[in-house]
Amino acid sequence: MHSRVTNLAAFLGFGAILLALPHTLSFSQQEILVFLTINVLVVASYRLLTLTGEWSLGHVVIMGVGAYASALLSKRLGIYVPASMLLGAVTAAMVALALSFPLFRMKGFYFLIGSFAAGEIIRLLWKRFREPFGGPKGIKKIDPMPDFDIGIYAFDFFEPISYYYFALAVVGVSLWVMWRIERSPVGLTFHAVHWQDKLAEASGVNVRAYRTLAFVLASGFAGLSGALLAHYIGTINPNSFDVEQMVFVLTWTIVGGTATFYGPILGCVVLTILNEIVLREAGFEQMRPLIYGLILILSVLFMPKGLESLVRGALSWRNAGKKKVGETEATE
Amino acid sequence: MAPPVLEIDNLTMRFGGLTAIDRLSFNVERGAIHGLIGPNGAGKTTTFNVVSGFYKPTGGEVRLRGETISGLRMYEVARRGVVRTFQHSTLFAELSVLENALIGTHMSFPPNIFAAMAGVDKANRRAARARAEEALDFFGLSGLAEELAGDLPHGHQRALGMAVALAARPDVVLLDEPFTGMNPEETGRMMELMVKLRNTGVTILLVEHDMHAIMGLCDRITCMSFGRLLAEGSPQEIRHHPDVIEAYLGGARHVA
C-alpha cells in the first residue's frame, strides 16, 4: 500500500515536470522537445520489435509509411487529422503484416538485411511515383492538427508547446499500452521466443505467429509516430526516413540498452540532450553522425549493457544500502 | 487390449544419401514407460525429431490415437498432446523458474493480447500460475520459483525441463536423454519422478544411454541400430537378445 502511494506520487511528480518542462525552454528548444517526444515512441516501438530477438533496419521506413498514409488520407480524402493518424498507424501495421511473409522466412542477420532491402523498396516507390507520393520532393503543406479546446487548455497547434502536449498524451498512452503488453503473458511469450524458440515451439507456441505479432504491433506504433511527425513539420519526403535516421534509432537503442522497457528511451533522451545542448552550442552540429558513430563504438566497448545497466547498478546499490539500514534498525 | 497411443509406422528419414531412419515401426502403449535405445548414431534422436514434428519424414507416418501427426509443425504436434524435452539443459535460462513453467501452460491458457491490454485476463493468469506452481511442486522446485533458470544446478535444470513439459498437461512426453550428466543419486531421484509422472496417466517415451536407468524403469524397450528396428521387448528380453548384444559389443569389436 505504502509503495503504491509512493509510486503514484512519483508518477504525478514526473507528469508535472513533463508538463512544466516546455515553459522553461526557448522556442527552438520546444521544437526539439516535440521531436524528442516523437522519437521516444519510435525507440520504444523498436524495442517491442526486438523482444522476439529480430532486429530490423526498416523500422524508420515503416514509420514513414504511417507518415505518408496519414498525410495523404487527410490531404486527398479530407479525413479528420486525428483519425488519419490512427489510420496511418493501421496502414503501417498492415504493410508490416504483408512484409512479414517474405521477411520471416529469414532469421538473425538475414532478417536484418532483408528488412533493409524491403525498406529501400518502399522508399524507392515513394521516389518513383510522383502520383500520389510526390516523388523525391515528397508531400508538402500537410494539413496541421485542427485546434481544439478541452476547457482547461486551448490547443493552438501553431505553438510547439501545444503540439508537445498533444504528442505527450499520444506517446504516453502508447507507452502504457506497450508496457501492459510486455508485462502480460503475451510479453512473456515474446521473451520465450527470443531466448529458446525451439523449446517455445515444443510448448505449443506458434513462434512465427508471435514474431509476426511483435513486428506488426511495433510497426503500428512506429506508423503512429510517423503520423505525429508529418502533421507537425508539414512536409515529408523519402529522405526524411532514410538509413541515416535508422542509424540514429539504432544508436539510441544500443546505447540505452534493450533489457528494460526504459533503456532505449533513456538512450534517446540522453543522446538528444547531448546533441542539442552540448554539440549544437559548441558548434559541432555538422559532425553529428561522426560523433554518434564514436558514441556507439565507445558504448559497445565500455558499456555493453547500455545506459540502463548504470541505472540498475545505482538502484541495486541503493536497495542494498536500504537493506543494511533496515538490518541495523532491526538489531537495535 | 487398448489401442496404442502412439504408432510409428514404416518411418523413413533420409538426409541426402544418408538414411537415418529406415522403415522403423513400433507402438507405444498408453500409460507405458517406453525406452528407445541403440548405439550412437542409431537414429534415436532423429526418430524423436520426426515424432515431435521438428523434421518431416521422407516416408511412413506417425499416428497419435489413430490420427496422422507426422509432417505437422512442432507446435501443432504439441497441441495434440505430444510434448518433448531436449538434450542437455535446454531452458529459458534468462527467465525465472516460474516463468519457464508458465510458458509450459501456453496451450492450456493461450494469451490474448486484447484481454491483456484491457486487464480482463486475471482469472486466466491466476489459473496459469496455479498450474505452473503445481508442476514445479511435482518436481520439488517450488522453493526455487524466483531463481533464474540458468543459475540452477544441473539436476534441477533437468527437472525443470520436465516441469515445463508437465505444465502443458501432455498425453505423451518425449524425454531426450534425461539422465545425461547425472550422478547415481540424481539418477535415482529422477527415476522416481518419472514413475510418479507415469502414475498420473502420462505416457513416456525416452531415449537414454544409461542402461541401469533404462532397465529399471521401462515397461518396454525398442532397440535401434543403423536406423533400423533391431529388437523389441521387455527389459529382460532385450538384455538377453543376441542381436542387441551383438550391436553393442560387436560395435565395440569393430572399433577395437
Side-chain angles (χ1 to χ4, degrees), chain A residues 177 180 196 198 204 206 217, chain B residues 54 74-75 79 91 117 119:
Chain A
V177 169
R180 300 230 356 149
Q196 271 294 346
K198 290 285 163 294
N206 185 345
L217 281 171
Chain B
F54 193 62
M74 202 150 75
Y75 73 89
R79 285 175 188 190
L91 290 169
M117 276 193 271

Side-chain angles (χ1 to χ4, degrees), chain A residues 70-85:
Chain A
S70 182
L72 287 173
L73 286 171
S74 59
K75 206 172 155 78
R76 298 289 175 90
L77 303 179
I79 292 176
Y80 186 58
V81 168
S84 77
M85 285 185 182

Side-chain angles (χ1 to χ4, degrees), chain B residues 57-91:
Chain B
T58 319
E61 61 178 27
V62 179
R63 287 188 295 273
L64 176 74
R65 293 180 296 252
E67 182 200 2
T68 303
I69 58 166
S70 45
L72 293 180
R73 307 283 303 274
M74 202 150 75
Y75 73 89
E76 293 170 321
V77 173
R79 285 175 188 190
R80 282 163 177 75
V82 181
V83 172
R84 70 171 294 178
T85 66
F86 291 83
Q87 272 182 32
H88 315 299
S89 303
T90 301
L91 290 169

Side-chain angles (χ1 to χ4, degrees), chain A residues 176-177 180-181 183-186 188-189 191-192 195-196 198-206 210 213 217, chain B residues 54 73-75 78-79 83-84 86 90-92 94 99 102-103 106-107 111 113 116-119 121 125 164:
Chain A
W176 180 76
V177 169
R180 300 230 356 149
I181 291 172
R183 300 296 297 246
S184 77
V186 179
L188 181 63
T189 312
H191 284 288
W195 296 118
Q196 271 294 346
K198 290 285 163 294
L199 181 56
E201 197 172 353
S203 304
V205 176
N206 185 345
Y210 271 85
L213 179 64
L217 281 171
Chain B
F54 193 62
R73 307 283 303 274
M74 202 150 75
Y75 73 89
R79 285 175 188 190
V83 172
R84 70 171 294 178
F86 291 83
T90 301
L91 290 169
F92 306 107
E94 293 82 359
E99 285 171 329
L102 279 171
I103 299 295
H106 181 88
M107 289 186 281
I113 189 159
M117 276 193 271
D121 60 346
R125 286 193 210 189
V164 173

Side-chain angles (χ1 to χ4, degrees), chain B residues 22-247:
Chain B
D22 191 0
R23 286 162 296 168
L24 177 73
S25 296
F26 67 94
N27 293 338
V28 178
E29 301 298 330
R30 188 179 300 274
I33 299 183
H34 194 119
L36 186 60
I37 64 169
N40 283 329
K44 305 178 299 283
T45 296
T46 308
T47 305
F48 255 44
N49 284 337
V50 174
V51 173
S52 66
F54 193 62
Y55 295 144
K56 255 185 198 161
T58 319
E61 61 178 27
V62 179
R63 287 188 295 273
L64 176 74
R65 293 180 296 252
E67 182 200 2
T68 303
I69 58 166
S70 45
L72 293 180
R73 307 283 303 274
M74 202 150 75
Y75 73 89
E76 293 170 321
V77 173
R79 285 175 188 190
R80 282 163 177 75
V82 181
V83 172
R84 70 171 294 178
T85 66
F86 291 83
Q87 272 182 32
H88 315 299
S89 303
T90 301
L91 290 169
F92 306 107
E94 293 82 359
L95 302 182
S96 77
V97 168
L98 179 65
E99 285 171 329
N100 270 267
L102 279 171
I103 299 295
T105 68
H106 181 88
M107 289 186 281
S108 315
F109 305 99
N112 179 318
I113 189 159
F114 299 107
M117 276 193 271
V120 295
D121 60 346
K122 294 235 162 53
N124 221 14
R125 286 193 210 189
R126 260 199 302 274
R129 200 187 157 102
R131 168 80 66 86
E133 283 170 348
E134 189 187 315
L136 291 181
D137 195 40
F138 189 93
F139 289 101
L141 295 166
S142 302
L144 303 165
E146 299 306 320
E147 303 282 321
L148 281 189
D151 294 344
L152 293 184
H154 186 75
H156 282 149
Q157 290 196 353
R158 306 311 301 253
L160 180 55
M162 284 171 63
V164 173
L166 177 66
R169 289 275 164 89
D171 296 329
V172 182
V173 286
L174 311 177
L175 303 175
D176 199 353
E177 303 195 2
F179 299 109
T180 310
M182 285 192 168
N183 62 36
E185 192 192 334
E186 287 173 321
T187 302
R189 209 175 308 137
M190 186 58 98
M191 283 169 73
E192 283 169 25
L193 287 174
M194 276 183 207
V195 172
K196 204 172 142 192
L197 183 61
R198 189 265 305 269
N199 290 344
T200 66
V202 178
T203 305
I204 300 174
L205 175 63
L206 75 153
V207 162
E208 189 46 61
H209 281 294
D210 186 330
M211 282 304 144
H212 170 71
I214 280 277
M215 291 298 167
L217 201 56
C218 292
D219 304 307
R220 214 165 166 75
I221 295 174
T222 299
C223 181
M224 291 177 76
S225 180
F226 295 110
R228 294 210 181 114
L229 178 77
L230 197 62
E232 201 188 318
S234 68
Q236 276 307 319
E237 289 163 353
I238 292 293
R239 199 195 298 268
H240 299 112
H241 200 289
D243 290 348
V244 176
I245 296 167
E246 166 70 21

Side-chain angles (χ1 to χ4, degrees), chain A residues 23 31 64 125 179 269 292:
Chain A
H23 296 285
E31 291 205 295
L125 289 176
W179 170 253
V269 172
Y292 262 44

